[in-house]
Amino acid sequence: MAKLIIISAPSGAGKSTLIRYLLSKNLNIRFSISATSRKPRGEEKDGVEYYFLTPDQFRSQIENDEFLEYEEVYPDRFYGTLKSEVDRIIAEGSNVIFDVDCIGGLNIKEFYGDKALSIFIMPPSIEVLRERLEKRGTDSPKVIEGRLAKAEYEMSYAPQFDVTVCNDDYERAREEILKLVTDFI
Ligand code: ADP
Ligand code: 5GP
């Protein structure tokens, strides 16, 4: 039976890095590509990082009940998990990994119950998070301030997850998460 791995974290906590690591291991896990109405950034391609939709397309798919969960983060900026995406991966016989925000993560956990493992990635501190976001170099100072303000709020959701992994030392954190996921699957 397919298992679902939910990864949530404040932006910059290392979610993408840890997900890439898990996908590189032979665990038969596929990434659930979300839909969004934000514009592609940099080299992002439709159907790879996200399915890029217009706000109107997104709304019409909401009306057709095509989403397992979705959120309108601010007006016209939607993110959501398509039921068809999860069904496709499960039908392939693979396990699914989700990169979603905290609320989306908790909603997916509620839907799948014991078939899902919800993991919260915790940054060592807000200061370290700031340093990593600055070093990553993908966001303007203003965007970084916004992400940090949101991070404190998101960290308050950690106790509602099945497990929390602190991403302090990367090698240590990736081994911890690999063991958690391997044992669960
Ligand atoms: P997210 O997907 O959560 O926004 P990323 O995976 O992009 O975060 O990580 C943010 C930045 O921090 C990246 O530049 C990444 O290489 C770096 N990083 C991730 N984990 C660690 C760690 N344990 N120690 C130091 N840097 C890290
Ligand atoms: P970004 O715009 O940086 O790619 O993503 C912003 C946030 O949206 C991240 O916290 C990411 O985890 C979250 N996100 C991505 N896809 C989904 C989704 O399908 N559902 C929800 N609820 N959040 C998502």
Side-chain angles (χ1 to χ4, degrees):
M1 186 61 215
K3 297 283 175 67
L4 303 109
I5 312 292
I6 302 158
I7 310 282
S8 298
S11 172
K15 209 170 21 167
S16 318
T17 310
L18 288 165
I19 290 175
R20 265 198 305 276
Y21 178 69
L22 290 173
L23 289 171
S24 77
K25 298 282 145 185
N26 278 331
L27 293 167
N28 189 25
I29 301 176
R30 304 281 172 270
F31 182 68
S32 163
I33 303 168
S34 295
T36 184
S37 62
R38 80 154 166 76
K39 294 272 182 325
R41 279 197 299 251
E43 299 289 293
E44 288 179 337
K45 289 197 176 55
D46 184 49
V48 180
E49 288 83 5
Y50 284 104
Y51 298 112
F52 292 102
L53 307 175
T54 64
D56 280 340
Q57 284 171 328
F58 208 110
R59 271 187 282 270
S60 107
Q61 294 193 223
I62 293 170
E63 272 169 38
N64 292 336
D65 196 24
E66 291 180 42
F67 287 99
L68 178 59
E69 60 81 33
Y70 73 90
E71 281 172 75
E72 186 170 14
V73 180
Y74 21 82
D76 273 359
R77 181 154 171 159
F78 294 93
Y79 291 89
T81 306
L82 288 160
K83 292 177 183 170
S84 58
E85 177 71 2
V86 185
D87 292 346
R88 180 180 66 78
I89 297 172
I90 293 177
E92 248 176 55
S94 297
N95 303 296
V96 190
I97 194 161
F98 300 91
D99 171 344
V100 290
D101 79 345
C102 302
I103 311 222
L106 292 172
N107 284 333
I108 296 172
K109 171 69 190 180
E110 191 173 306
F111 187 80
Y112 285 105
D114 290 345
K115 286 196 206 114
L117 178 69
S118 60
I119 305 178
F120 189 91
I121 310 295
M122 187 67 99
S125 67
I126 293 286
E127 289 67 39
V128 172
L129 192 58
R130 178 193 299 277
E131 283 165 24
R132 288 186 191 166
L133 286 170
E134 285 170 354
K135 224 165 136 192
R136 186 171 72 179
T138 54
D139 302 308
S140 67
K142 192 166 159 244
V143 169
I144 290 180
E145 287 315 312
R147 289 194 192 275
L148 291 172
K150 205 172 157 207
E152 298 215 42
Y153 167 72
E154 288 172 321
M155 280 154 71
S156 70
Y157 281 94
Q160 295 180 60
F161 281 71
D162 292 330
V163 276
T164 295
V165 171
C166 178
N167 185 18
D168 39 20
D169 174 66
Y170 174 63
E171 272 76 30
R172 194 208 58 74
R174 78 177 189 189
E175 292 320 307
E176 182 181 348
I177 204 166
L178 177 61
K179 179 163 190 336
L180 280 167
V181 169
T182 308
D183 289 351
F184 180 70
I185 285 177

